[in-house]
Amino acid sequence: MKRVYLCLATVVGLMTAGSVVAQAPPAGGAPAGGAPATPARTDPPRIAAFNVAMLMKKFDKWQYYAVTMENARIQAAIELLKMRNDIAKYQEELSKTTELAKQNAIIDQIKQKTFDFEKLERQKKEELDATASKHLKELFGDVTQVVNSVVEANGYDIVFAYPEATTKEEAESQNYIDLKLRATAAMPFYVGKRADITEVMISTLNKYRPAPGPIPQKLKMPDMKDISPTGGLTAQPPK
């Protein structure tokens, strides 16, 4: 991968020893050659943390991929719903048919349609899983590079990533309460503003790792009643 060094991005935030700066992460790893040895530190370790749930919501590239993947899942589900609807139509026709030859012909059609449905379902799942894995790996790399840049610019010894509620409704949900009380490694109950670098992370990621384009509008999954007997959609896509 071609190594590209971006200019410095300074993002202000109240921290223990002044303002936090985030250096733009290079496209590659660290420069060649080892750093000179430094004396052992005697000061207390510097600790920072960022809310990974908030980062996922505000990192435009993350939201772009999240909505894109959700829309792809809905489109795949619509395609599968139409095929399932066709199978149901043949099954209904079979229940009304008394002629043996015609019954056998319909049964053959149902078997073929079912085979095609299962094949497409596996194919869509494999495609979606592979794409999601690719996006997640890319996003993880972006976040890791920014964490490393913030650590290097500010001298942190530890950076925690913690999943904290981002709304009042989330904070009052049973899932959130279970998450906070479950035995989880490094789950903080409190993070002071001076130690929280979430906004630094978000600002730097959005500036230097932008989304490929505008965040798409989310599609809506139609109800079964919105699928016509011929397999065509009767519901209009959202504008």
Side-chain angles (χ1 to χ4, degrees), residues 149-209:
S149 297
V150 173
V151 167
E152 182 178 351
N154 296 275
Y156 293 120
D157 299 286
I158 302 173
V159 175
F160 290 114
Y162 66 98
E164 184 60 77
T166 61
T167 65
K168 184 175 182 293
E169 290 73 20
E170 288 177 358
E172 294 174 350
S173 70
Q174 186 62 43
N175 287 339
Y176 173 76
I177 295 172
D178 290 343
L179 177 67
K180 294 293 278 189
L181 296 178
R182 191 179 300 128
T184 307
M187 171 63 76
F189 266 75
Y190 171 79
V191 177
K193 289 184 178 180
R194 295 192 304 171
D196 196 318
I197 61 171
T198 304
E199 292 302 323
V200 176
M201 295 287 300
I202 292 167
S203 299
T204 307
L205 283 164
N206 281 335
K207 185 172 183 179
Y208 292 101
R209 295 292 184 270

Side-chain angles (χ1 to χ4, degrees), residues 1-6 24-31 141 145 148-149 209:
M1 181 183 296
K2 183 179 179 181
R3 184 172 296 166
V4 180
Y5 289 95
L6 303 174
Q145 287 182 0
N148 293 339
S149 297
R209 295 292 184 270

Side-chain angles (χ1 to χ4, degrees), residues 81-110:
L81 273 174
K82 290 192 291 185
M83 293 184 69
R84 186 176 291 172
N85 185 262
D86 286 341
I87 295 172
K89 183 178 66 173
Y90 282 113
Q91 289 172 334
E92 182 180 359
E93 183 180 353
L94 178 63
S95 67
K96 298 177 181 178
T97 303
T98 57
E99 185 180 342
L100 182 59
K102 193 172 182 180
Q103 285 180 339
N104 290 334
I106 295 173
I107 289 172
D108 288 340
Q109 288 177 314
I110 291 174

